[in-house]
Amino acid sequence: MTEPFGQKLKTLRKRKNMSQKEFAKFFGLAESTISMYERDERRPDFDLLNKFADYFEVSTDYLLGRTDSSTITQQEKDEDAFQAFINDPELGVWYKELPQSGEEELRKLRTIWEMINGQQK
């Protein structure tokens, strides 16, 4: 059975050799908030959950108990980076000018993105 969120958070925090106080300060939270998270008396909002996942280099699915695997695959990292790229408001004008014909244009955009990131072989 999957550990509850609070236990996972506590285990990950301890792996980083951080006290609740240090961890709370790092994220700009009260120590009591971390304590309540670890006792499963409160839940973080989506933004904070994502920050925790990024900090510990685990998936939000792992933190939420949807999977027992704490590792993020390279494919998941690449997909997350690509989604951040296409949703970047500063780039919106550039890529949104592509015709709305769908998958082919998205494939072309992904190829460009891979070249920008040095992933093209």
Side-chain angles (χ1 to χ4, degrees), residues 2-121:
T2 304
E3 290 180 318
F5 168 78
Q7 184 60 49
K8 287 182 180 183
L9 185 64
K10 183 176 184 177
T11 299
L12 292 167
R13 175 183 57 78
K14 287 186 171 191
R15 282 186 195 160
K16 293 271 191 182
N17 295 315
M18 294 180 87
S19 67
Q20 285 183 341
K21 185 176 185 173
E22 293 168 325
F23 187 68
K25 184 176 180 181
F26 184 84
F27 285 97
L29 302 168
E31 183 179 354
S32 61
T33 301
I34 300 303
S35 179
M36 286 188 277
Y37 289 160
E38 291 183 359
R39 291 192 314 263
D40 288 308
E41 293 174 3
R42 279 184 71 179
R43 296 273 190 243
D45 63 27
F46 293 142
D47 290 336
L48 189 55
L49 182 70
N50 280 320
K51 288 177 184 177
F52 288 164
D54 290 344
Y55 180 74
F56 292 120
E57 297 180 333
V58 298
S59 69
T60 55
D61 279 352
Y62 173 74
L63 287 175
L64 294 172
R66 292 174 47 101
T67 181
D68 288 329
S69 174
S70 65
T71 58
I72 299 176
T73 66
Q74 187 60 45
Q75 182 179 0
E76 290 170 317
K77 289 179 185 178
D78 290 346
E79 183 60 27
D80 288 347
F82 178 67
Q83 290 300 320
F85 170 70
I86 65 171
N87 291 308
D88 185 337
E90 292 181 15
L91 299 175
V93 172
W94 177 74
Y95 77 84
K96 288 191 191 285
E97 288 180 358
L98 289 172
Q100 297 276 338
S101 59
E103 200 166 313
E104 178 63 20
E105 275 63 37
L106 190 58
R107 186 192 61 74
K108 289 176 186 176
L109 181 59
R110 183 178 287 276
T111 300
I112 292 167
W113 174 79
E114 288 171 351
M115 289 174 17
I116 290 169
N117 283 305
Q119 297 174 354
Q120 190 70 22
K121 296 183 178 171

